């Protein structure tokens, strides 16, 4: 059984695909530090407000790291924390259904929370407020 033609076809396809997608990698620029910290803080606060102790611990630690390395005043984070808490009060934890029943997905909820309109608006406001402290234009 000769698989060379299949392998050659696959390699040619892979090379063509990677060449076609190469220009798209320039579009995926990394976030600036202020955006990374502010979005991360929102997710960390969400995790800290979960019932699971491991998630709470991870969220609390993540938020502490961001505040410690972050720029600006500690009070600058409060409106974002309040927005996350308000959004969580209105939200229900998504559930995935499987053979063994329903499983809550708090990590998914926290990752998606930064796109909630209330939280996203406060993220934008916090970024704008903190940009000078981060030295961002």
């Amino acid at each position: 059984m000769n698989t060379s033609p299949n392998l050659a076809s696959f390699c040619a396809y892979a090379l063509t695909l990677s060449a076609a997608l190469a220009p798209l990698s320039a579009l995926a620029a990394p976030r600036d530090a202020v955006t990374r910290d502010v979005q991360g803080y929102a997710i960390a606060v969400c995790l800290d407000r979960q019932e699971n102790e491991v998630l709470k611990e991870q969220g609390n630690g993540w938020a502490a790291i961001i505040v410690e390395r972050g720029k600006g005043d500690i009070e600058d984070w409060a409106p974002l924390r309040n927005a996350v808490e308000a959004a969580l009060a209105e939200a229900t934890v998504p559930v995935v259904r499987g053979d063994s029943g329903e499983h809550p997905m708090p990590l998914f909820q926290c990752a998606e929370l930064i796109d909630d309109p209330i939280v996203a608006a406060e993220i934008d406001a916090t970024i704008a407020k903190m940009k000078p402290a981060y030295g961002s234009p």
Side-chain angles (χ1 to χ4, degrees), residues 35-49 62-63 66 77 80-81 83-85 88 110-111 113-115 119-120 122-123:
T35 301
R36 180 200 61 223
D37 282 355
V38 172
Q39 289 176 340
Y41 184 79
I43 295 168
V45 169
C46 178
L47 291 173
D48 185 49
R49 300 310 186 265
W62 188 0
I66 290 171
W77 298 102
L80 180 56
R81 183 180 56 248
V84 169
E85 290 170 350
L88 285 172
C110 291
L113 193 69
I114 63 173
D115 293 320
V119 176
E122 192 55 49
I123 285 172

Side-chain angles (χ1 to χ4, degrees), residues 1-134:
M1 176 176 197
N2 186 357
T3 59
S4 305
N6 289 338
L7 181 58
S9 295
F10 174 76
C11 289
Y13 172 75
L15 287 173
T16 303
L17 183 61
S18 65
L21 295 177
L24 296 178
S25 64
L27 298 176
R31 297 174 293 167
D32 60 4
V34 65
T35 301
R36 180 200 61 223
D37 282 355
V38 172
Q39 289 176 340
Y41 184 79
I43 295 168
V45 169
C46 178
L47 291 173
D48 185 49
R49 300 310 186 265
Q50 300 301 314
E51 293 178 16
N52 180 289
E53 287 302 315
V54 172
L55 295 179
K56 288 177 90 60
E57 180 181 303
Q58 290 294 307
N60 185 281
W62 188 0
I65 289 169
I66 290 171
V67 170
E68 286 174 17
R69 79 164 178 219
K71 315 282 192 273
D73 296 322
I74 190 78
E75 299 84 25
D76 292 340
W77 298 102
L80 180 56
R81 183 180 56 248
N82 294 340
V84 169
E85 290 170 350
L88 285 172
E90 299 292 322
T92 57
V93 176
V95 174
V96 65
R97 289 167 183 77
D99 292 339
S100 61
E102 295 183 343
H103 305 281
M105 302 298 293
L107 287 175
F108 177 81
Q109 179 187 31
C110 291
E112 296 280 310
L113 193 69
I114 63 173
D115 293 320
D116 175 273
I118 294 169
V119 176
E122 192 55 49
I123 285 172
D124 291 343
T126 304
I127 289 170
K129 184 183 223 178
M130 293 183 137
K131 269 189 176 188
Y134 274 79

